[in-house]
Amino acid sequence: MIDTERPAYDELVARLGVPLGVEDARARWGSLVRDARNGATTLITRERWEWAALVPLSAVPGLLSGLPLVPLSTARGKLGDLVRQVAHPYEQEPVLLSRHRKPVAALVAAATLADGPAPRELPTAEVMLLGGGTVVLALDAHGRITASVRDQEGAEVALGTGDSIGQALDALENG
């Protein structure tokens, strides 16, 4: 039997605020994307029962490679279809939103935020690289390898150390 009951989003609304309708989200698209790049999550609903969330890349679970990539300008015009796509009860695959072919944010099913694991506090090295950041490898004074993750503005957001490059990169992921 197919479960047609809408998931309870009360906890999400309490945590993230009242969702925007698709038209309201389109009208505020630029600022919503900017907010997502800065770590904010915005709930978006279509026809009151299809819910998605505009999230920062760090909130996307799993690997980013292989996920659909949609330019921001196209996503704005097709936002209703994209909300329906990610909210589909059997697929719920995130959609990456890009500027100049670089992922900057994502649309995910709101149900995954309520049911899934909590998003990471710091973005992974892969997310930072896809978002235009850098990973700098260096040898410190004690002969250990350091891996420093820097955002697009050059600010250090994570640091990992180890006896090898692999250990330093692993320390970033597990840090």
Side-chain angles (χ1 to χ4, degrees):
M1 184 166 114
I2 296 175
D3 182 13
T4 58
E5 188 173 321
R6 170 178 93 74
Y9 292 118
D10 298 336
E11 181 267 331
L12 280 179
V13 170
R15 190 166 38 119
L16 301 171
V18 176
L20 297 174
V22 169
E23 291 305 317
D24 290 336
R26 273 193 192 121
R28 298 175 43 196
W29 189 240
S31 65
L32 294 177
V33 170
R34 188 172 31 261
D35 291 347
R37 290 184 75 177
N38 291 326
T41 297
T42 303
L43 296 173
I44 302 172
T45 152
R46 180 178 192 268
E47 297 180 5
R48 289 184 281 197
W49 55 275
E50 294 171 321
W51 287 50
L54 179 62
V55 298
L57 292 176
S58 61
V60 178
L63 294 175
L64 299 180
S65 48
L67 293 176
L69 186 66
V70 178
L72 287 171
S73 57
T74 302
R76 183 179 181 269
K78 296 185 177 221
L79 189 56
D81 293 335
L82 291 174
V83 168
R84 174 169 277 165
Q85 178 182 329
V86 301
H88 191 276
Y90 300 109
E91 293 171 21
Q92 293 188 343
E93 181 176 65
V95 172
L96 301 178
L97 306 174
S98 68
R99 176 174 281 130
H100 306 296
R101 296 189 188 129
K102 288 186 178 183
V104 295
L107 271 177
V108 300
T112 63
L113 297 179
D115 300 335
R120 297 176 216 110
E121 286 188 26
L122 287 176
T124 65
E126 178 187 9
V127 169
M128 291 301 299
L129 289 171
L130 288 169
T134 58
V135 175
V136 178
L137 298 171
L139 188 62
D140 71 13
H142 304 288
R144 292 179 49 94
I145 305 291
T146 63
S148 171
V149 178
R150 298 183 180 275
D151 63 17
Q152 289 176 318
E153 288 76 36
E156 185 175 273
V157 296
L159 182 68
T161 60
D163 293 325
S164 67
I165 292 173
Q167 286 179 351
L169 292 173
D170 284 344
L172 285 173
E173 300 296 320
N174 301 319

